[in-house]
Amino acid sequence: MQHNRIYLLRLCRIKMKRRQTESKMGILNALKKANSALSHDMLETLIDTPIDRATIYRVLNSFCEDGLVHKTLGDDGKQYFALCGHCAENEHGHNHTHFHFRCLNCGKVECLKSDVHIPLPTGYTFENFNGFITGRCSICI
Amino acid sequence: MQHNRIYLLRLCRIKMKRRQTESKMGILNALKKANSALSHDMLETLIDTPIDRATIYRVLNSFCEDGLVHKTLGDDGKQYFALCGHCAENEHGHNHTHFHFRCLNCGKVECLKSDVHIPLPTGYTFENFNGFITGRCSICI
DNA sequence: TGTATTATTGCAACACAATCGCATTTATTT
DNA sequence: AAATAAATGCGATTGTGTTGCAATAATACA
Ligand SMILES: [Mn+2]
Ligand SMILES: [Mn+2]
Ligand SMILES: [Zn+2]
Ligand SMILES: [Zn+2]
């Protein structure tokens, strides 16, 4: 179920009429390399050839629509985007009911592996989940 | 451990050199009446005598500092403030490791009672938690 | 390979939540 | 009643993300 980036982009090109551009490749590579969730400003510094802010957001949101990436709102008010790696799969597709951890020292945001159990009161229906934890990662003690 | 609002404000006046004002009373009453987490704009509509935006935020943040209220960042990008009712108590004071639920229909934001277990990888330290669930509440089907 | 189509981009303007500086007001103390 | 400084209102500012639009360029197809 793990495909490489080129394959995924090609798939999107056909299915969603996307085009393969340098911006998309750059952003996808940065996400892959970082192996963590990235915010717009993180991407801006990570990518060599400058890309406009609006473009970065548009690319990221298109990745979300296409299922390559998921978005989570950090407790710092920023959106973070991560490649869909070990997202839990179920009958409707794959879902993102996992926590995200942000290290207050190094800033890295990671998807935590454990799938979160969501304790809804009876009669409530579920639509979306966003769980953020902050602290310090093992590298930053 | 449940005190009434007047008592709490009086406590803050002495301990933190706060003053008891109409704005604070209004905001505290609105929170109490709503029995749910409120955002700035919700409060603005709920309170009769108009209070300036900056003042509302300042009052709410002072309430947070004083431990009367806790703040959570909604997935809609807004801050929600709720009276500290059944927040979990531990040796360091009380913590806010519970989910918040926002009904996509009526907009109400509630503190969910169940205390969340936070699955940190080994070597990671905990600082803060923000968990938001959206869906529909039992009233809105 | 050349041309048409239209997805994508950059730029500027915009929307929105929240904060800040500062002069003024006012709750509290004496 | 006067002094002190916390609290307020107003306007400006920050920060994040979106949108409109004309220009660009990736893709399809003859
Ligand atoms: Mn995913
Ligand atoms: Mn609390
Ligand atoms: Zn770290
Ligand atoms: Zn509802």
Side-chain angles (χ1 to χ4, degrees), chain A residues 7-45:
Chain A
Y7 174 83
L8 289 171
L9 280 187
R10 200 162 290 161
L11 208 70
C12 294
R13 181 168 73 208
I14 296 160
K15 295 229 174 188
M16 344 285 272
K17 292 186 179 169
R18 305 292 190 199
R19 291 180 186 178
Q20 186 166 325
T21 67
E22 200 181 341
S23 300
K24 291 184 184 178
M25 293 300 289
I27 290 170
L28 208 50
N29 278 327
L31 285 168
K32 174 79 178 174
K33 210 169 177 181
N35 192 33
S36 63
L38 298 178
S39 62
H40 150 261
D41 55 296
M42 284 169 164
L43 280 164
E44 208 161 50
T45 59

Side-chain angles (χ1 to χ4, degrees), chain A residues 103-108 136-140:
Chain A
C103 176
L104 294 168
N105 185 246
C106 68
K108 188 176 180 183
R136 280 174 164 253
C137 73
S138 54
I139 296 170
C140 298

Side-chain angles (χ1 to χ4, degrees), chain B residues 13 19-21 53-54 57-58 61 77-79:
Chain B
R13 182 168 71 208
R19 293 179 184 178
Q20 186 165 324
T21 65
R53 189 161 33 108
Y57 280 114
R58 281 191 276 232
N61 285 325
K78 295 180 185 173
Q79 297 180 344

Side-chain angles (χ1 to χ4, degrees), chain A residues 2 21 33 36-37 44-45 51 55 64 67 69 78 80 89 91 94 109 122 125 141:
Chain A
Q2 267 306 36
T21 67
K33 210 169 177 181
S36 63
E44 208 161 50
T45 59
I51 310 176
T55 302
C64 285
V69 158
K78 295 180 185 174
Y80 288 88
E89 300 279 343
E91 57 275 18
H94 79 263
V109 173
T122 47
T125 62
I141 310 175

Side-chain angles (χ1 to χ4, degrees), chain A residues 67-86:
Chain A
L68 269 63
V69 158
H70 61 271
K71 186 200 303 201
T72 171
L73 179 63
D75 62 315
D76 57 354
K78 295 180 185 174
Q79 296 181 346
Y80 288 88
F81 301 81
L83 287 178
C84 287
H86 44 67

Side-chain angles (χ1 to χ4, degrees), chain B residues 33-129:
Chain B
K33 210 169 176 181
N35 193 32
S36 63
L38 298 177
S39 62
H40 151 262
D41 54 295
M42 284 170 166
L43 279 164
E44 207 162 48
T45 60
L46 285 175
I47 296 171
D48 326 300
T49 51
I51 310 176
D52 186 74
R53 189 161 33 108
T55 301
I56 293 179
Y57 280 114
R58 281 191 276 232
V59 166
L60 288 169
N61 285 325
S62 78
F63 284 171
C64 285
E65 286 174 23
D66 299 352
L68 270 62
V69 158
H70 60 271
K71 186 200 298 203
T72 172
L73 178 62
D75 62 315
D76 56 354
K78 295 180 185 173
Q79 297 180 344
Y80 288 88
F81 300 82
L83 287 178
C84 287
H86 45 67
C87 301
E89 300 279 343
N90 71 2
E91 57 274 18
H92 304 102
H94 79 264
N95 62 341
H96 306 119
T97 55
H98 56 265
F99 287 121
H100 291 89
F101 180 90
R102 183 168 67 92
C103 176
L104 294 168
N105 185 247
C106 68
K108 189 177 180 182
V109 173
E110 332 178 23
C111 301
L112 298 189
K113 287 195 198 73
S114 60
D115 198 37
V116 180
H117 170 247
I118 291 163
L120 282 189
T122 47
Y124 284 54
T125 62
F126 174 83
E127 191 68 40
N128 195 34
F129 170 74

